[in-house]
Amino acid sequence: MPKYILFDTETTGTREEDRIIQVGAMIVDAQGKVEVFDELCSTVLPITIEAMAVHGITPDLIEGKGTFIETDFYQTLQSLNSQENCLIAHNMPFDMGMIEKEGFIPKLRIIDTLRVAKHLLPEQKSKALQYLRYALELYKDEQGEADKYNITIKAHDAIGDVLVMKLLLSKLVSLTKEKFPEFNPMQKMEELTRTPIFIETFVFGKHKGKKISDVCNSDIGYIHWMQKNMDLDVDMKYTLDKLIGHI
């Protein structure tokens, strides 16, 4: 019976060297049974002030706690680390990168609700979890869910964010069924997670607000400069490669 592992981390910061100090997770099986994890963990790295300002976790809260690999969640994750099960996060590269720093080698199927939202909710200005929480009115159902699992909802708190992600996942499942009725929705969302997205308009730089296709025709030198000098995400790389191929 497959299990779906929704998880989120809070960390000492966003630098390469930063580490996990909180993990929240909800593991759901095919019959709807839910197992909840909400654990603080210690690290030798100090928590940056910028990180504390976001998640509110201070050094005294993690003092004396075990490390991430000593958490119940990590031990459970290791036991479920197979292709039978699915790992789910909102902005998976960040959270996956964090657990990989701890030595985790993923063998699970992957769903990134951020990437799926980009495919299924193009009309939303932002795909950030807290934005979608309000834009999709998920907040109207969250207290009932929180009471069911004895969870306190706070923005930028690992388990609170996982609860919102669970509600978002349900919404995305419904949208996937509507748009792709011939497919298994979970399998389709795995595919959407891996599928790059064509970007229409620049949202940064000197051509902000312009259509990328127009800039490819009028300022190809800038496009080549971007490809050579900027750390472009998978969607921008895909978009530029596709457009340049047609010039």
PDB file of all heavy atoms in Angstrom, residues 26 34 36-38 142-153 157 159-160 163:
ATOM      1  N   MET A  26       3.273  14.882   7.450  1.00  0.00           N
ATOM      2  CA  MET A  26       2.051  14.093   7.555  1.00  0.00           C
ATOM      3  C   MET A  26       2.200  12.954   6.554  1.00  0.00           C
ATOM      4  O   MET A  26       2.403  13.190   5.363  1.00  0.00           O
ATOM      5  CB  MET A  26       0.818  14.945   7.252  1.00  0.00           C
ATOM      6  CG  MET A  26       0.655  16.129   8.184  1.00  0.00           C
ATOM      7  SD  MET A  26      -0.795  17.171   7.811  1.00  0.00           S
ATOM      8  CE  MET A  26      -2.097  16.172   8.553  1.00  0.00           C
ATOM      9  N   VAL A  34      -3.562   8.942   8.786  1.00  0.00           N
ATOM     10  CA  VAL A  34      -2.541   9.994   8.808  1.00  0.00           C
ATOM     11  C   VAL A  34      -1.664   9.860  10.053  1.00  0.00           C
ATOM     12  O   VAL A  34      -2.164   9.711  11.174  1.00  0.00           O
ATOM     13  CB  VAL A  34      -3.184  11.393   8.782  1.00  0.00           C
ATOM     14  CG1 VAL A  34      -2.120  12.476   8.880  1.00  0.00           C
ATOM     15  CG2 VAL A  34      -4.016  11.576   7.515  1.00  0.00           C
ATOM     16  N   VAL A  36       1.357  12.000  12.041  1.00  0.00           N
ATOM     17  CA  VAL A  36       1.858  13.372  12.119  1.00  0.00           C
ATOM     18  C   VAL A  36       3.195  13.419  12.855  1.00  0.00           C
ATOM     19  O   VAL A  36       3.373  12.773  13.895  1.00  0.00           O
ATOM     20  CB  VAL A  36       0.836  14.285  12.831  1.00  0.00           C
ATOM     21  CG1 VAL A  36       1.391  15.704  12.981  1.00  0.00           C
ATOM     22  CG2 VAL A  36      -0.488  14.309  12.072  1.00  0.00           C
ATOM     23  N   PHE A  37       4.130  14.219  12.305  1.00  0.00           N
ATOM     24  CA  PHE A  37       5.430  14.442  12.936  1.00  0.00           C
ATOM     25  C   PHE A  37       5.653  15.951  13.054  1.00  0.00           C
ATOM     26  O   PHE A  37       5.445  16.681  12.085  1.00  0.00           O
ATOM     27  CB  PHE A  37       6.563  13.838  12.100  1.00  0.00           C
ATOM     28  CG  PHE A  37       6.499  12.346  11.942  1.00  0.00           C
ATOM     29  CD1 PHE A  37       5.683  11.775  10.975  1.00  0.00           C
ATOM     30  CD2 PHE A  37       7.242  11.512  12.766  1.00  0.00           C
ATOM     31  CE1 PHE A  37       5.611  10.392  10.823  1.00  0.00           C
ATOM     32  CE2 PHE A  37       7.185  10.136  12.620  1.00  0.00           C
ATOM     33  CZ  PHE A  37       6.368   9.572  11.652  1.00  0.00           C
ATOM     34  N   ASP A  38       6.082  16.383  14.226  1.00  0.00           N
ATOM     35  CA  ASP A  38       6.404  17.799  14.451  1.00  0.00           C
ATOM     36  C   ASP A  38       7.576  17.832  15.422  1.00  0.00           C
ATOM     37  O   ASP A  38       7.405  17.694  16.634  1.00  0.00           O
ATOM     38  CB  ASP A  38       5.196  18.535  15.041  1.00  0.00           C
ATOM     39  CG  ASP A  38       5.475  20.009  15.283  1.00  0.00           C
ATOM     40  OD1 ASP A  38       6.504  20.517  14.778  1.00  0.00           O
ATOM     41  OD2 ASP A  38       4.668  20.659  15.981  1.00  0.00           O
ATOM     42  N   GLU A 142      -8.868  24.876   7.184  1.00  0.00           N
ATOM     43  CA  GLU A 142      -7.667  24.425   7.884  1.00  0.00           C
ATOM     44  C   GLU A 142      -7.886  24.194   9.380  1.00  0.00           C
ATOM     45  O   GLU A 142      -7.262  23.312   9.970  1.00  0.00           O
ATOM     46  CB  GLU A 142      -6.512  25.395   7.663  1.00  0.00           C
ATOM     47  CG  GLU A 142      -6.708  26.770   8.231  1.00  0.00           C
ATOM     48  CD  GLU A 142      -5.587  27.726   7.845  1.00  0.00           C
ATOM     49  OE1 GLU A 142      -4.901  27.504   6.833  1.00  0.00           O
ATOM     50  OE2 GLU A 142      -5.417  28.719   8.568  1.00  0.00           O
ATOM     51  N   GLN A 143      -8.767  24.976  10.020  1.00  0.00           N
ATOM     52  CA  GLN A 143      -8.932  24.785  11.460  1.00  0.00           C
ATOM     53  C   GLN A 143      -9.542  23.427  11.778  1.00  0.00           C
ATOM     54  O   GLN A 143      -9.146  22.762  12.751  1.00  0.00           O
ATOM     55  CB  GLN A 143      -9.791  25.898  12.070  1.00  0.00           C
ATOM     56  CG  GLN A 143      -9.739  25.935  13.591  1.00  0.00           C
ATOM     57  CD  GLN A 143      -8.315  26.088  14.120  1.00  0.00           C
ATOM     58  OE1 GLN A 143      -7.615  27.039  13.781  1.00  0.00           O
ATOM     59  NE2 GLN A 143      -7.874  25.143  14.954  1.00  0.00           N
ATOM     60  N   GLY A 144     -10.500  23.004  10.961  1.00  0.00           N
ATOM     61  CA  GLY A 144     -11.090  21.680  11.154  1.00  0.00           C
ATOM     62  C   GLY A 144     -10.056  20.584  11.012  1.00  0.00           C
ATOM     63  O   GLY A 144     -10.027  19.625  11.793  1.00  0.00           O
ATOM     64  N   GLU A 145      -9.190  20.722  10.008  1.00  0.00           N
ATOM     65  CA  GLU A 145      -8.110  19.754   9.811  1.00  0.00           C
ATOM     66  C   GLU A 145      -7.125  19.797  10.976  1.00  0.00           C
ATOM     67  O   GLU A 145      -6.659  18.770  11.458  1.00  0.00           O
ATOM     68  CB  GLU A 145      -7.372  20.045   8.500  1.00  0.00           C
ATOM     69  CG  GLU A 145      -8.120  19.640   7.249  1.00  0.00           C
ATOM     70  CD  GLU A 145      -8.118  18.128   7.051  1.00  0.00           C
ATOM     71  OE1 GLU A 145      -7.034  17.562   6.812  1.00  0.00           O
ATOM     72  OE2 GLU A 145      -9.192  17.526   7.144  1.00  0.00           O
ATOM     73  N   ALA A 146      -6.805  21.006  11.426  1.00  0.00           N
ATOM     74  CA  ALA A 146      -5.853  21.162  12.525  1.00  0.00           C
ATOM     75  C   ALA A 146      -6.386  20.520  13.805  1.00  0.00           C
ATOM     76  O   ALA A 146      -5.653  19.843  14.533  1.00  0.00           O
ATOM     77  CB  ALA A 146      -5.553  22.639  12.751  1.00  0.00           C
ATOM     78  N   ASP A 147      -7.660  20.720  14.089  1.00  0.00           N
ATOM     79  CA  ASP A 147      -8.268  20.133  15.282  1.00  0.00           C
ATOM     80  C   ASP A 147      -8.242  18.610  15.209  1.00  0.00           C
ATOM     81  O   ASP A 147      -8.030  17.927  16.226  1.00  0.00           O
ATOM     82  CB  ASP A 147      -9.701  20.625  15.445  1.00  0.00           C
ATOM     83  CG  ASP A 147      -9.784  22.109  15.767  1.00  0.00           C
ATOM     84  OD1 ASP A 147      -8.757  22.689  16.183  1.00  0.00           O
ATOM     85  OD2 ASP A 147     -10.865  22.698  15.587  1.00  0.00           O
ATOM     86  N   LYS A 148      -8.451  18.083  14.014  1.00  0.00           N
ATOM     87  CA  LYS A 148      -8.483  16.631  13.823  1.00  0.00           C
ATOM     88  C   LYS A 148      -7.149  15.985  14.200  1.00  0.00           C
ATOM     89  O   LYS A 148      -7.102  14.890  14.753  1.00  0.00           O
ATOM     90  CB  LYS A 148      -8.820  16.323  12.358  1.00  0.00           C
ATOM     91  CG  LYS A 148      -9.095  14.856  12.065  1.00  0.00           C
ATOM     92  CD  LYS A 148      -9.234  14.618  10.562  1.00  0.00           C
ATOM     93  CE  LYS A 148     -10.289  15.483   9.919  1.00  0.00           C
ATOM     94  NZ  LYS A 148     -10.444  15.165   8.469  1.00  0.00           N
ATOM     95  N   TYR A 149      -6.049  16.701  13.893  1.00  0.00           N
ATOM     96  CA  TYR A 149      -4.721  16.129  14.128  1.00  0.00           C
ATOM     97  C   TYR A 149      -3.956  16.831  15.253  1.00  0.00           C
ATOM     98  O   TYR A 149      -2.769  16.608  15.433  1.00  0.00           O
ATOM     99  CB  TYR A 149      -3.908  16.193  12.830  1.00  0.00           C
ATOM    100  CG  TYR A 149      -4.586  15.492  11.682  1.00  0.00           C
ATOM    101  CD1 TYR A 149      -5.062  16.206  10.589  1.00  0.00           C
ATOM    102  CD2 TYR A 149      -4.777  14.116  11.705  1.00  0.00           C
ATOM    103  CE1 TYR A 149      -5.701  15.567   9.532  1.00  0.00           C
ATOM    104  CE2 TYR A 149      -5.416  13.462  10.662  1.00  0.00           C
ATOM    105  CZ  TYR A 149      -5.880  14.197   9.582  1.00  0.00           C
ATOM    106  OH  TYR A 149      -6.524  13.555   8.547  1.00  0.00           O
ATOM    107  N   ASN A 150      -4.656  17.700  16.011  1.00  0.00           N
ATOM    108  CA  ASN A 150      -4.055  18.418  17.144  1.00  0.00           C
ATOM    109  C   ASN A 150      -2.833  19.225  16.701  1.00  0.00           C
ATOM    110  O   ASN A 150      -1.758  19.157  17.302  1.00  0.00           O
ATOM    111  CB  ASN A 150      -3.666  17.435  18.255  1.00  0.00           C
ATOM    112  CG  ASN A 150      -3.371  18.148  19.567  1.00  0.00           C
ATOM    113  OD1 ASN A 150      -3.916  19.215  19.844  1.00  0.00           O
ATOM    114  ND2 ASN A 150      -2.502  17.558  20.375  1.00  0.00           N
ATOM    115  N   ILE A 151      -3.013  19.998  15.627  1.00  0.00           N
ATOM    116  CA  ILE A 151      -1.935  20.811  15.048  1.00  0.00           C
ATOM    117  C   ILE A 151      -2.251  22.290  15.255  1.00  0.00           C
ATOM    118  O   ILE A 151      -3.394  22.722  15.067  1.00  0.00           O
ATOM    119  CB  ILE A 151      -1.768  20.514  13.547  1.00  0.00           C
ATOM    120  CG1 ILE A 151      -1.236  19.090  13.336  1.00  0.00           C
ATOM    121  CG2 ILE A 151      -0.848  21.539  12.871  1.00  0.00           C
ATOM    122  CD1 ILE A 151      -1.232  18.648  11.887  1.00  0.00           C
ATOM    123  N   THR A 152      -1.244  23.064  15.635  1.00  0.00           N
ATOM    124  CA  THR A 152      -1.369  24.514  15.723  1.00  0.00           C
ATOM    125  C   THR A 152      -0.887  25.123  14.421  1.00  0.00           C
ATOM    126  O   THR A 152       0.239  24.853  13.988  1.00  0.00           O
ATOM    127  CB  THR A 152      -0.550  25.079  16.890  1.00  0.00           C
ATOM    128  OG1 THR A 152      -1.019  24.500  18.111  1.00  0.00           O
ATOM    129  CG2 THR A 152      -0.685  26.597  16.969  1.00  0.00           C
ATOM    130  N   ILE A 153      -1.717  25.940  13.778  1.00  0.00           N
ATOM    131  CA  ILE A 153      -1.374  26.519  12.485  1.00  0.00           C
ATOM    132  C   ILE A 153      -0.648  27.844  12.669  1.00  0.00           C
ATOM    133  O   ILE A 153      -1.164  28.771  13.301  1.00  0.00           O
ATOM    134  CB  ILE A 153      -2.633  26.750  11.632  1.00  0.00           C
ATOM    135  CG1 ILE A 153      -3.352  25.428  11.393  1.00  0.00           C
ATOM    136  CG2 ILE A 153      -2.272  27.400  10.305  1.00  0.00           C
ATOM    137  CD1 ILE A 153      -4.691  25.586  10.723  1.00  0.00           C
ATOM    138  N   ASP A 157       5.871  27.755   9.861  1.00  0.00           N
ATOM    139  CA  ASP A 157       6.117  26.721  10.856  1.00  0.00           C
ATOM    140  C   ASP A 157       5.976  25.398  10.113  1.00  0.00           C
ATOM    141  O   ASP A 157       5.021  25.211   9.344  1.00  0.00           O
ATOM    142  CB  ASP A 157       5.081  26.822  11.979  1.00  0.00           C
ATOM    143  CG  ASP A 157       5.148  25.647  12.930  1.00  0.00           C
ATOM    144  OD1 ASP A 157       6.067  25.607  13.755  1.00  0.00           O
ATOM    145  OD2 ASP A 157       4.271  24.762  12.839  1.00  0.00           O
ATOM    146  N   ILE A 159       5.107  22.172  10.575  1.00  0.00           N
ATOM    147  CA  ILE A 159       3.889  21.349  10.557  1.00  0.00           C
ATOM    148  C   ILE A 159       2.674  22.172  10.109  1.00  0.00           C
ATOM    149  O   ILE A 159       1.770  21.652   9.447  1.00  0.00           O
ATOM    150  CB  ILE A 159       3.646  20.680  11.931  1.00  0.00           C
ATOM    151  CG1 ILE A 159       2.539  19.631  11.823  1.00  0.00           C
ATOM    152  CG2 ILE A 159       3.332  21.710  13.005  1.00  0.00           C
ATOM    153  CD1 ILE A 159       2.800  18.524  10.814  1.00  0.00           C
ATOM    154  N   GLY A 160       2.648  23.466  10.454  1.00  0.00           N
ATOM    155  CA  GLY A 160       1.558  24.319   9.973  1.00  0.00           C
ATOM    156  C   GLY A 160       1.547  24.413   8.463  1.00  0.00           C
ATOM    157  O   GLY A 160       0.497  24.356   7.825  1.00  0.00           O
ATOM    158  N   LEU A 163       0.231  21.172   6.891  1.00  0.00           N
ATOM    159  CA  LEU A 163      -1.228  21.086   6.920  1.00  0.00           C
ATOM    160  C   LEU A 163      -1.836  21.868   5.760  1.00  0.00           C
ATOM    161  O   LEU A 163      -2.751  21.388   5.071  1.00  0.00           O
ATOM    162  CB  LEU A 163      -1.768  21.619   8.245  1.00  0.00           C
ATOM    163  CG  LEU A 163      -3.292  21.570   8.396  1.00  0.00           C
ATOM    164  CD1 LEU A 163      -3.800  20.146   8.350  1.00  0.00           C
ATOM    165  CD2 LEU A 163      -3.727  22.238   9.689  1.00  0.00           C
TER     166      LEU A 163
END
